[in-house]
Amino acid sequence: MLFSSNVFLFAFLPTVLAVYYLVPRVLRNPVLLLVSLVFYGWGEPVYLLLMLAAILLNYGFGLWIWALRRKGKGAKAVLAAGVAANLLLLGYFKYASFLMSAISTVIPGLQRISAPQVELPIGISFYIFQSMSYIIDIYRDDAPVQKNPLTFGTYVALFPQLIAGPIVRYRDVAQQLSSRRENLNDFSSGVLLFIVGLSKKVLLANPMGEAWLQLQCETGLAAAWIGLAAYTLQIYFDFSGYSDMARGLGRMFGFEFLENFRYPYISVSVTEFWRRWHISLSTWFREYVYIPLGGNRRGKGRQLLNLLIVWFLTGLWHGASWNFALWGLYYAVLLILEKLFLLRVLEKLPKPAKHLYTLLVVMIGWALFYFEDLGALGEFMGRLWIPVPASSGSLPLIASFLPLMAVAAFAATPIPASLAVKRDTPALRFVKAAAAACALLLCVGALASQSYNPFIYFRF
């Protein structure tokens, strides 16, 4: 089920809110767990069993690790088993076909064996990472153990952020799961944030995606670069829009999820970009991979190796395809170069030059991210740099998309938000409410004419 669908907006969400606030407080977590399972099973009921298995598996490992920690022995081995079990689940459903294909290219005798065709369960990368963070934090004594299986199930399956994040660490919401207190101010701000996210998706991301698809059919440098700029805007508004909707829904139910995007396209270095983009994923890899590997505590050479490992894994997390591995390594090289000398060079440049450098390398990165077919990737990369005659329809098409692209580029900066919160007066609150109502009507109207438009990160 999509947040940006009439079924969700006018049937599922109102019903869930009504039931949630009518039942006694002690039943609110079980209600959230039940409706989250319905939400997840709406499109893929067969994978409900997999999610329930992941919930029970990690609930059990959490109790086991906690009990062994109290005894002072054996917890580390159980943690290793728990992490391995989670990685096996994720590895089989996400990487089995990819690994078999990769091995068969190296070992000729296996080429006759067909790779298993395993369908990717939606959201598995997110809920498996959340589950692993729970058992790791129990081992580290960074979070309290959850003894109620329904409460733990609510944490893993919570529908606002189940499908595409943000990745919520248990320690950040443990208290909210047990003792949150919903209030009208949080609820109203959640509604407003949800509408902002919905508008990002429906009014900006979807049209930018259409521009990208149409401009791929045209020739010429302008069509290639403007098309890539459109995709750059699409993926930001698509993913940050989902994150805003998730955070808004969380507030409606009394939860406060951490911010996942902080205007990444205003960055003046790749290092800064990754402090602003998909913050929950970057935080997860830093906390559970980079620091355990030694971080920057074992010398410069080991730090650079750790960066290489983390970003290779980050790329593969996004998908079982060579282009994602290349995408991760691409950012590893850039971040290593910035740590070695490039940041010092950038400090001497004017801010517009630093900003232009960052946007350029990020856009090229999105080309690596988009094209899973390496042949198509190479062809498109050539289109970015090799001048060819522009097709007759490219310039009129570009002109038709440029006004909305300018609006999207402006919306990707902090300026609109800073104007909206500059003062808090009754008149301004009324204007914001009226603007939100108009935006919601525009979204509903747009949804009536748009075809099925899942979020980009649903496939990860």
Side-chain angles (χ1 to χ4, degrees), residues 45 67 70 72 74-75 105 107 109 123 187 202 248 257 278 283 297 335 349 358 375 400 428 431 434 453:
R70 294 181 69 189
T105 61
I107 305 175
F187 186 91
V202 176
F257 302 143
H278 205 345
T283 301
R297 304 186 305 275
L335 290 166
L349 299 178
T358 306
S400 69
L428 185 58
V431 170
N453 47 64

Side-chain angles (χ1 to χ4, degrees), residues 213-228:
L213 291 177
Q214 291 191 36
L215 286 169
Q216 284 186 66
C217 300
E218 305 295 333
T219 60
L221 289 176
W225 280 103
I226 298 297
L228 186 56

Side-chain angles (χ1 to χ4, degrees), residues 16-148:
V16 170
L17 286 169
V19 173
Y20 178 83
Y21 279 101
L22 286 173
V23 300
R25 185 171 296 278
V26 69
L27 294 179
R28 288 183 178 176
N29 279 347
V31 164
L32 277 180
L33 174 58
L34 178 62
V35 299
S36 296
L37 294 176
V38 171
F39 175 86
Y40 187 77
W42 187 271
E44 293 185 327
V46 66
Y47 287 119
L48 270 177
L49 293 177
L50 178 63
M51 171 176 284
L52 290 171
I55 290 171
L56 293 174
L57 178 77
N58 288 285
Y59 171 73
F61 270 113
L63 289 176
W64 195 2
I65 292 167
W66 173 75
L68 291 175
R69 275 192 58 83
R70 294 181 69 189
K71 294 180 180 179
K73 59 180 180 179
K76 189 172 185 178
V78 175
L79 171 65
V83 170
N86 280 285
L87 291 177
L88 282 172
L89 277 177
L90 182 61
Y92 175 75
F93 285 96
K94 190 166 184 175
Y95 302 104
S97 299
F98 173 69
L99 289 174
M100 194 65 185
S101 298
I103 292 171
S104 66
T105 61
V106 178
I107 305 175
L110 293 179
Q111 291 178 355
R112 296 187 297 272
I113 302 175
S114 60
Q117 298 302 313
V118 181
E119 187 176 347
L120 179 66
I122 194 168
I124 189 172
S125 297
F126 290 92
Y127 70 73
I128 289 294
F129 266 37
Q130 287 197 177
S131 300
M132 283 198 292
S133 75
Y134 168 73
I135 62 173
I136 294 170
D137 285 348
I138 295 299
Y139 172 78
R140 294 175 173 177
D141 202 22
D142 286 342
V145 70
Q146 179 51 252
K147 297 180 180 179
N148 186 326

Side-chain angles (χ1 to χ4, degrees), residues 269 300 336-349 354:
S269 69
K300 181 66 72 174
I336 287 171
L337 290 176
E338 288 193 352
K339 284 196 176 296
L340 290 175
F341 70 91
L342 196 51
L343 282 177
R344 294 192 297 273
V345 174
L346 291 172
E347 287 174 359
K348 300 175 183 178
L349 299 178
K354 293 187 286 188

Side-chain angles (χ1 to χ4, degrees), residues 304-430:
L304 300 183
L305 176 62
N306 292 341
L307 281 172
L308 192 67
I309 294 170
V310 164
W311 282 98
F312 178 72
L313 294 176
T314 300
L316 284 183
W317 179 90
H318 283 83
S321 177
W322 289 115
N323 71 302
F324 292 117
L326 288 172
W327 180 75
L329 291 174
Y330 170 78
Y331 274 110
V333 170
L334 287 171
L335 290 166
I336 287 171
L337 290 176
E338 288 193 352
K339 284 196 176 296
L340 290 175
F341 70 91
L342 196 51
L343 282 177
R344 294 192 297 273
V345 174
L346 291 172
E347 287 174 359
K348 300 175 183 178
L349 299 178
K351 191 171 183 179
K354 293 187 286 188
H355 187 222
L356 182 62
Y357 148 78
T358 306
L359 281 179
L360 179 63
V361 297
V362 166
M363 287 174 64
I364 293 172
W366 289 136
L368 289 170
F369 188 90
Y370 179 82
F371 291 100
E372 294 188 22
D373 183 291
L374 296 185
L377 171 63
E379 181 184 352
F380 181 77
M381 287 296 187
R383 290 179 56 198
L384 291 175
W385 307 106
I386 301 173
V388 297
S391 54
S392 59
S394 63
L395 292 181
L397 194 59
I398 290 170
S400 69
F401 284 119
L402 278 179
L404 185 58
M405 289 185 69
V407 172
F410 177 72
T413 70
I415 299 173
S418 65
L419 293 175
V421 300
K422 195 169 185 180
R423 291 183 302 169
D424 188 19
T425 64
L428 185 58
R429 287 196 293 271
F430 175 79

